[in-house]
Short mmCIF file of all heavy atoms in Angstrom, two decimals:
data_model
loop_
_atom_site.label_atom_id
_atom_site.label_comp_id
_atom_site.label_asym_id
_atom_site.label_seq_id
_atom_site.Cartn_x
_atom_site.Cartn_y
_atom_site.Cartn_z
N GLU A 77 111.85 14.21 204.25
CA GLU A 77 111.73 15.64 204.58
C GLU A 77 112.92 16.41 204.02
O GLU A 77 112.77 17.53 203.52
CB GLU A 77 111.58 15.85 206.08
CG GLU A 77 111.46 17.31 206.47
CD GLU A 77 110.34 18.06 205.76
OE1 GLU A 77 109.28 17.46 205.48
OE2 GLU A 77 110.53 19.26 205.47
N GLU A 78 114.11 15.83 204.12
CA GLU A 78 115.30 16.52 203.58
C GLU A 78 115.16 16.73 202.08
O GLU A 78 115.46 17.81 201.56
CB GLU A 78 116.56 15.71 203.88
CG GLU A 78 117.82 16.41 203.40
CD GLU A 78 119.10 15.67 203.77
OE1 GLU A 78 119.07 14.44 203.98
OE2 GLU A 78 120.13 16.34 203.85
N VAL A 79 114.69 15.72 201.37
CA VAL A 79 114.50 15.84 199.91
C VAL A 79 113.42 16.87 199.63
O VAL A 79 113.62 17.81 198.84
CB VAL A 79 114.15 14.47 199.27
CG1 VAL A 79 113.73 14.64 197.82
CG2 VAL A 79 115.31 13.51 199.41
N LEU A 80 112.28 16.71 200.27
CA LEU A 80 111.13 17.61 199.98
C LEU A 80 111.42 19.06 200.33
O LEU A 80 110.94 19.96 199.64
CB LEU A 80 109.89 17.11 200.73
CG LEU A 80 109.32 15.79 200.23
CD1 LEU A 80 108.19 15.33 201.14
CD2 LEU A 80 108.86 15.88 198.79
N SER A 81 112.22 19.31 201.36
CA SER A 81 112.52 20.69 201.73
C SER A 81 113.45 21.37 200.73
O SER A 81 113.54 22.59 200.70
CB SER A 81 113.12 20.75 203.15
OG SER A 81 114.41 20.17 203.14
N SER A 82 114.10 20.59 199.87
CA SER A 82 114.98 21.18 198.84
C SER A 82 114.27 21.44 197.52
O SER A 82 114.85 22.02 196.62
CB SER A 82 116.19 20.27 198.61
OG SER A 82 115.81 19.10 197.89
N TRP A 83 113.04 20.98 197.41
CA TRP A 83 112.27 21.13 196.17
C TRP A 83 111.13 22.12 196.36
O TRP A 83 110.53 22.17 197.44
CB TRP A 83 111.66 19.81 195.77
CG TRP A 83 112.61 18.78 195.26
CD1 TRP A 83 113.90 18.93 194.88
CD2 TRP A 83 112.32 17.38 195.08
NE1 TRP A 83 114.44 17.73 194.47
CE2 TRP A 83 113.47 16.76 194.57
CE3 TRP A 83 111.19 16.60 195.29
CZ2 TRP A 83 113.53 15.40 194.28
CZ3 TRP A 83 111.24 15.26 194.99
CH2 TRP A 83 112.40 14.66 194.48
N PRO A 84 110.78 22.90 195.36
CA PRO A 84 111.50 23.02 194.08
C PRO A 84 112.83 23.74 194.29
O PRO A 84 112.96 24.62 195.12
CB PRO A 84 110.55 23.83 193.20
CG PRO A 84 109.50 24.39 194.08
CD PRO A 84 109.56 23.69 195.40
N GLY A 85 113.77 23.34 193.47
CA GLY A 85 115.10 23.94 193.53
C GLY A 85 116.11 23.15 192.72
O GLY A 85 115.78 22.12 192.13
N PRO A 86 117.36 23.61 192.68
CA PRO A 86 118.39 22.98 191.86
C PRO A 86 119.10 21.81 192.57
O PRO A 86 120.30 21.62 192.44
CB PRO A 86 119.36 24.14 191.59
CG PRO A 86 119.26 24.98 192.81
CD PRO A 86 117.82 24.87 193.24
N GLU A 87 118.33 21.03 193.31
CA GLU A 87 118.88 19.92 194.08
C GLU A 87 118.33 18.60 193.51
O GLU A 87 117.13 18.35 193.57
CB GLU A 87 118.49 20.07 195.55
CG GLU A 87 119.25 19.22 196.49
CD GLU A 87 120.58 19.84 196.90
OE1 GLU A 87 120.83 21.03 196.61
OE2 GLU A 87 121.37 19.13 197.51
N THR A 88 119.22 17.79 192.96
CA THR A 88 118.86 16.47 192.42
C THR A 88 119.24 15.42 193.44
O THR A 88 120.31 15.49 194.04
CB THR A 88 119.61 16.21 191.09
OG1 THR A 88 119.22 17.22 190.13
CG2 THR A 88 119.29 14.85 190.52
N TRP A 89 118.36 14.45 193.62
CA TRP A 89 118.60 13.38 194.60
C TRP A 89 118.56 12.03 193.90
O TRP A 89 117.68 11.78 193.09
CB TRP A 89 117.51 13.40 195.68
CG TRP A 89 117.55 14.61 196.54
CD1 TRP A 89 116.91 15.80 196.31
CD2 TRP A 89 118.28 14.77 197.75
NE1 TRP A 89 117.21 16.68 197.33
CE2 TRP A 89 118.03 16.08 198.23
CE3 TRP A 89 119.12 13.94 198.49
CZ2 TRP A 89 118.59 16.57 199.39
CZ3 TRP A 89 119.67 14.41 199.66
CH2 TRP A 89 119.40 15.72 200.11
N THR A 90 119.49 11.15 194.24
CA THR A 90 119.41 9.77 193.76
C THR A 90 118.65 8.99 194.82
O THR A 90 118.92 9.10 196.02
CB THR A 90 120.80 9.15 193.49
OG1 THR A 90 121.54 9.11 194.70
CG2 THR A 90 121.55 9.91 192.42
N MET A 91 117.69 8.21 194.33
CA MET A 91 116.84 7.41 195.21
C MET A 91 116.63 6.03 194.57
O MET A 91 116.66 5.92 193.35
CB MET A 91 115.48 8.09 195.39
CG MET A 91 115.54 9.44 196.06
SD MET A 91 113.92 10.25 196.18
CE MET A 91 113.74 10.93 194.52
N GLU A 92 116.39 5.04 195.39
CA GLU A 92 116.10 3.72 194.88
C GLU A 92 114.82 3.78 194.07
O GLU A 92 113.89 4.52 194.39
CB GLU A 92 115.93 2.72 196.02
CG GLU A 92 117.23 2.39 196.71
CD GLU A 92 117.10 1.30 197.75
OE1 GLU A 92 116.13 0.51 197.69
OE2 GLU A 92 117.97 1.25 198.62
N THR A 93 114.78 2.99 192.98
CA THR A 93 113.60 2.95 192.14
C THR A 93 113.40 1.54 191.60
O THR A 93 114.36 0.78 191.46
CB THR A 93 113.69 3.95 190.98
OG1 THR A 93 112.42 4.05 190.33
CG2 THR A 93 114.75 3.56 189.96
N HIS A 94 112.13 1.24 191.30
CA HIS A 94 111.79 -0.05 190.71
C HIS A 94 110.94 0.13 189.47
O HIS A 94 110.48 -0.85 188.88
CB HIS A 94 111.04 -0.92 191.72
CG HIS A 94 111.79 -1.09 193.01
ND1 HIS A 94 112.92 -1.85 193.13
CD2 HIS A 94 111.59 -0.54 194.23
CE1 HIS A 94 113.39 -1.78 194.36
NE2 HIS A 94 112.59 -0.98 195.05
N ARG A 95 110.74 1.38 189.04
CA ARG A 95 109.80 1.62 187.94
C ARG A 95 110.40 2.26 186.70
O ARG A 95 109.74 2.32 185.66
CB ARG A 95 108.62 2.45 188.43
CG ARG A 95 109.01 3.86 188.86
CD ARG A 95 107.80 4.60 189.42
NE ARG A 95 108.18 5.90 189.90
CZ ARG A 95 107.66 7.03 189.46
NH1 ARG A 95 106.72 7.01 188.55
NH2 ARG A 95 108.06 8.19 189.97
N PHE A 96 111.61 2.76 186.79
CA PHE A 96 112.20 3.40 185.62
C PHE A 96 113.09 2.44 184.86
O PHE A 96 113.80 1.64 185.47
CB PHE A 96 112.96 4.67 186.02
CG PHE A 96 112.05 5.77 186.48
CD1 PHE A 96 111.97 6.10 187.82
CD2 PHE A 96 111.24 6.45 185.58
CE1 PHE A 96 111.10 7.09 188.26
CE2 PHE A 96 110.37 7.43 186.00
CZ PHE A 96 110.29 7.76 187.34
N PRO A 97 113.08 2.52 183.54
CA PRO A 97 113.83 1.58 182.72
C PRO A 97 115.35 1.80 182.79
O PRO A 97 115.83 2.85 183.22
CB PRO A 97 113.31 1.83 181.31
CG PRO A 97 112.68 3.18 181.34
CD PRO A 97 112.27 3.45 182.75
N VAL A 98 116.07 0.79 182.34
CA VAL A 98 117.53 0.78 182.40
C VAL A 98 118.14 1.97 181.66
O VAL A 98 119.18 2.48 182.04
CB VAL A 98 118.09 -0.57 181.88
CG1 VAL A 98 117.81 -0.73 180.39
CG2 VAL A 98 119.56 -0.70 182.17
N TRP A 99 117.47 2.45 180.61
CA TRP A 99 118.02 3.59 179.87
C TRP A 99 117.93 4.89 180.68
O TRP A 99 118.56 5.87 180.34
CB TRP A 99 117.39 3.75 178.48
CG TRP A 99 115.89 3.92 178.44
CD1 TRP A 99 115.19 5.08 178.62
CD2 TRP A 99 114.95 2.90 178.17
NE1 TRP A 99 113.85 4.82 178.49
CE2 TRP A 99 113.66 3.49 178.20
CE3 TRP A 99 115.04 1.53 177.89
CZ2 TRP A 99 112.50 2.78 177.98
CZ3 TRP A 99 113.88 0.83 177.67
CH2 TRP A 99 112.62 1.45 177.72
N ILE A 100 117.19 4.90 181.76
CA ILE A 100 117.15 6.04 182.69
C ILE A 100 118.12 5.82 183.84
O ILE A 100 118.87 6.70 184.22
CB ILE A 100 115.72 6.27 183.23
CG1 ILE A 100 114.78 6.64 182.09
CG2 ILE A 100 115.72 7.34 184.32
CD1 ILE A 100 115.13 7.89 181.32
N THR A 101 118.12 4.62 184.41
CA THR A 101 118.93 4.34 185.60
C THR A 101 120.38 4.01 185.28
O THR A 101 121.21 3.97 186.19
CB THR A 101 118.33 3.17 186.39
OG1 THR A 101 118.45 1.98 185.60
CG2 THR A 101 116.89 3.43 186.78
N GLY A 102 120.68 3.73 184.03
CA GLY A 102 122.04 3.30 183.67
C GLY A 102 122.35 1.90 184.17
O GLY A 102 123.50 1.51 184.26
N GLY A 103 121.29 1.15 184.50
CA GLY A 103 121.46 -0.21 184.98
C GLY A 103 121.60 -0.32 186.49
O GLY A 103 121.75 -1.40 187.02
N ARG A 104 121.53 0.82 187.17
CA ARG A 104 121.57 0.82 188.64
C ARG A 104 120.13 0.78 189.15
O ARG A 104 119.20 1.07 188.42
CB ARG A 104 122.29 2.07 189.15
CG ARG A 104 123.78 2.09 188.79
CD ARG A 104 124.44 3.40 189.19
NE ARG A 104 123.98 4.56 188.45
CZ ARG A 104 124.39 4.88 187.22
NH1 ARG A 104 125.23 4.11 186.57
NH2 ARG A 104 123.93 5.96 186.63
N GLY A 105 119.94 0.51 190.38
CA GLY A 105 118.61 0.51 190.97
C GLY A 105 118.22 1.84 191.54
O GLY A 105 117.38 1.92 192.44
N THR A 106 118.82 2.91 191.01
CA THR A 106 118.53 4.26 191.51
C THR A 106 118.18 5.18 190.34
O THR A 106 118.55 4.94 189.20
CB THR A 106 119.72 4.86 192.27
OG1 THR A 106 120.85 4.91 191.40
CG2 THR A 106 120.04 4.05 193.52
N VAL A 107 117.48 6.25 190.69
CA VAL A 107 117.15 7.28 189.72
C VAL A 107 117.55 8.63 190.31
O VAL A 107 117.46 8.84 191.53
CB VAL A 107 115.65 7.26 189.36
CG1 VAL A 107 114.77 7.63 190.55
CG2 VAL A 107 115.35 8.16 188.17
N ALA A 108 118.02 9.53 189.46
CA ALA A 108 118.35 10.90 189.84
C ALA A 108 117.14 11.77 189.50
O ALA A 108 116.74 11.83 188.34
CB ALA A 108 119.59 11.38 189.11
N ALA A 109 116.55 12.40 190.52
CA ALA A 109 115.29 13.11 190.31
C ALA A 109 115.28 14.45 191.03
O ALA A 109 115.93 14.63 192.06
CB ALA A 109 114.15 12.25 190.84
N ARG A 110 114.51 15.37 190.45
CA ARG A 110 114.31 16.65 191.13
C ARG A 110 113.05 17.35 190.63
O ARG A 110 112.53 17.04 189.55
CB ARG A 110 115.52 17.55 190.99
CG ARG A 110 115.62 18.42 189.79
CD ARG A 110 116.82 19.39 189.96
NE ARG A 110 116.83 20.40 188.95
CZ ARG A 110 117.26 20.24 187.70
NH1 ARG A 110 117.68 19.08 187.31
NH2 ARG A 110 117.24 21.24 186.86
N VAL A 111 112.60 18.28 191.41
CA VAL A 111 111.54 19.21 191.03
C VAL A 111 112.25 20.55 190.91
O VAL A 111 112.69 21.12 191.91
CB VAL A 111 110.41 19.26 192.08
CG1 VAL A 111 109.36 20.29 191.67
CG2 VAL A 111 109.78 17.87 192.24
N PRO A 112 112.41 21.04 189.68
CA PRO A 112 113.22 22.25 189.48
C PRO A 112 112.59 23.51 190.07
O PRO A 112 111.37 23.62 190.16
CB PRO A 112 113.33 22.35 187.97
CG PRO A 112 112.20 21.58 187.42
CD PRO A 112 111.88 20.51 188.43
N GLY A 113 113.46 24.43 190.42
CA GLY A 113 113.02 25.74 190.89
C GLY A 113 112.65 26.66 189.73
O GLY A 113 112.15 27.75 189.96
N HIS A 114 112.89 26.23 188.52
CA HIS A 114 112.58 27.01 187.32
C HIS A 114 111.11 26.79 186.97
O HIS A 114 110.69 25.67 186.66
CB HIS A 114 113.50 26.56 186.18
CG HIS A 114 113.47 27.45 184.99
ND1 HIS A 114 112.50 27.33 184.02
CD2 HIS A 114 114.29 28.45 184.61
CE1 HIS A 114 112.74 28.22 183.07
NE2 HIS A 114 113.82 28.92 183.41
N GLU A 115 110.32 27.85 187.04
CA GLU A 115 108.86 27.74 186.86
C GLU A 115 108.48 27.12 185.52
O GLU A 115 107.60 26.26 185.45
CB GLU A 115 108.22 29.12 187.03
CG GLU A 115 106.71 29.09 186.92
CD GLU A 115 106.09 30.47 187.04
OE1 GLU A 115 106.75 31.39 187.52
OE2 GLU A 115 104.92 30.58 186.65
#
Side-chain angles (χ1 to χ4, degrees):
E77 179 55 34
E78 182 176 25
V79 171
L80 292 173
S81 69
S82 73
W83 289 347
E87 195 83 11
T88 298
W89 294 89
T90 62
M91 298 177 279
E92 289 186 21
T93 191
H94 306 288
R95 65 184 176 122
F96 290 107
V98 67
W99 58 83
I100 297 300
T101 66
R104 294 175 292 281
T106 59
V107 66
R110 86 172 190 281
V111 177
H114 191 277
E115 183 182 342

